[in-house]
């Protein structure tokens, strides 16, 4: 036999793979196993070239769809690619061009239904531009937001879409100066000039409360998010403006702002709804507040009008249906992402504030008259 046909090579000590040692255990050639294991050792263009019997440049042309390769050669290369399970390394390719073809999206809470269509819209725009989207959640924590944003920048994302949790974004100035395109959504950046895409929180809240006033309500409660949050402050301002426009004095006990934890919201609603001067209507400052208020109202023996800011799932199927001030989350995401890619494509743009309109959807709860 030739050396290549002589069978398995002896292991250290002269024993052959498959034989038993003195303990009666089967001997395994672990060196061979390590050679066969390709985990973490992906096939490269060199592997494809060797299998197809062509040069590295030829493989590169086939992989990148470039001309100059005969049909027969391309077939051999494609067969080698399929046999080896080769995948093009896009990261290396785009890094050579100075771009990573990825953008980061920092949300408040990935579990919030409002952010689902927003995230999907950003992803669709990114995909149309050949980029990947990386999501992360700040959990409404400014420090976590900063850590996440800077971690994405360290991974060389080309751009960022940020729903801010904090009110000081000067930490981003070096990144923006280095070329990281940045657009803020839902809330403006703090202490820097940057693009922002918003819904008209002030106008939407004013319209929602004015709708309740037009229905005969004078004692209207407002339950909102934390006052430091831009959208919560703007919606409270819209509530006050509508009441002032109608000449209705606002009782401080009709207003409650804080975390949107269901227990806190439930206590606030129950407090407003008790006593002879109980409110006859409630304006809920966001979708999470609305859901809790719906549960509270379901346990009452009287009808209380309700208008919520943000739509809620199945809101049209309740009895009565929930009247809402709806914002277009998908359009927020789409507008922000398109603005981001305009920056990435080299457009010289001054920071801009883009404000999208809201719309009142009447379903029944906001049209209930005051209890007599």
């Amino acid at each position: 036999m030739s050396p290549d046909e002589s069978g398995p090579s002896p292991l250290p000590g002269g024993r052959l793979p498959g034989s038993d040692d003195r303990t009666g255990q089967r001997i395994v050639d672990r060196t061979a196993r390590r050679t066969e294991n390709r985990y973490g050792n992906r096939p490269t263009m060199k592997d494809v070239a060797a299998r197809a019997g062509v040069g590295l440049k030829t493989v590169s042309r086939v992989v990148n769809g470039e001309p100059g390769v005969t049909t027969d050669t391309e077939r051999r290369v494609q067969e080698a690619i399929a046999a080896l399970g080769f995948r093009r390394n896009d990261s290396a390719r785009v890094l050579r061009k100075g771009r990573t073809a990825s953008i980061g999206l920092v949300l408040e809470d990935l579990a919030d239904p409002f952010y689902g269509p927003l995230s999907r819209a950003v992803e669709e725009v990114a995909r149309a531009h050949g980029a990947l989207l990386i999501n992360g959640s700040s959990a409404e924590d400014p420090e976590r937001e900063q850590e996440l944003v800077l971690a994405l920048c360290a991974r060389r994302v080309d751009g960022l879409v940020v729903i801010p949790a904090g009110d000081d974004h000067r930490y981003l100035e070096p990144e923006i100066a280095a070329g990281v395109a940045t657009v803020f959504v839902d809330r403006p950046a703090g202490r820097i000039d940057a693009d922002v895409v918003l819904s008209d929180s002030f106008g939407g809240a004013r319209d929602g409360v004015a709708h309740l006033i037009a229905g005969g309500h004078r004692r209207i409660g407002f339950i909102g998010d934390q006052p430091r949050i831009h959208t919560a402050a703007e919606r409270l301002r819209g509530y006050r403006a509508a009441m002032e426009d109608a000449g209705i004095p606002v009782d401080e006990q009709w207003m409650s702002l804080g975390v949107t934890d269901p227990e806190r919201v439930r206590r606030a609603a129950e407090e407003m709804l008790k006593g002879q001067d109980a409110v006859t209507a409630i304006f809920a400052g966001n979708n999470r507040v609305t859901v809790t208020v719906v549960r509270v109202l379901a346990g009452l023996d009287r009808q209380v009008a309700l208008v919520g800011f943000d739509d809620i799932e199945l809101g049209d199927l309740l009895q009565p249906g929930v009247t809402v001030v709806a914002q277009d989350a998908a359009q927020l995401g789409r507008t922000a992402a398109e603005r981001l890619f305009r920056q990435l494509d080299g457009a010289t743009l001054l920071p801009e504030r883009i404000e999208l309109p809201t719309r009142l959807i009447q379903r029944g709860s906001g049209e209930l008259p005051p209890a007599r």
Side-chain angles (χ1 to χ4, degrees), residues 8 36 55 68 70 111 115 118 167 171 175 179 199 201 215 221 246 268 363 368:
E36 293 172 2
T70 66
Y115 293 118
L118 188 154
D167 56 8
Y171 71 85
E175 310 299 336
S199 292
S201 286
R363 296 194 181 119
L368 295 173

Side-chain angles (χ1 to χ4, degrees), residues 55-72:
L56 191 60
K57 182 61 178 176
T58 300
V59 176
S60 176
R61 284 175 177 156
V62 172
V63 167
N64 293 299
E66 297 173 0
V69 181
T70 66
T71 302
D72 181 63

Side-chain angles (χ1 to χ4, degrees), residues 117-131:
L118 188 154
S119 176
R120 178 65 180 271
V122 174
E123 184 177 25
E124 289 300 318
V125 174
R127 185 182 179 194
H129 286 81

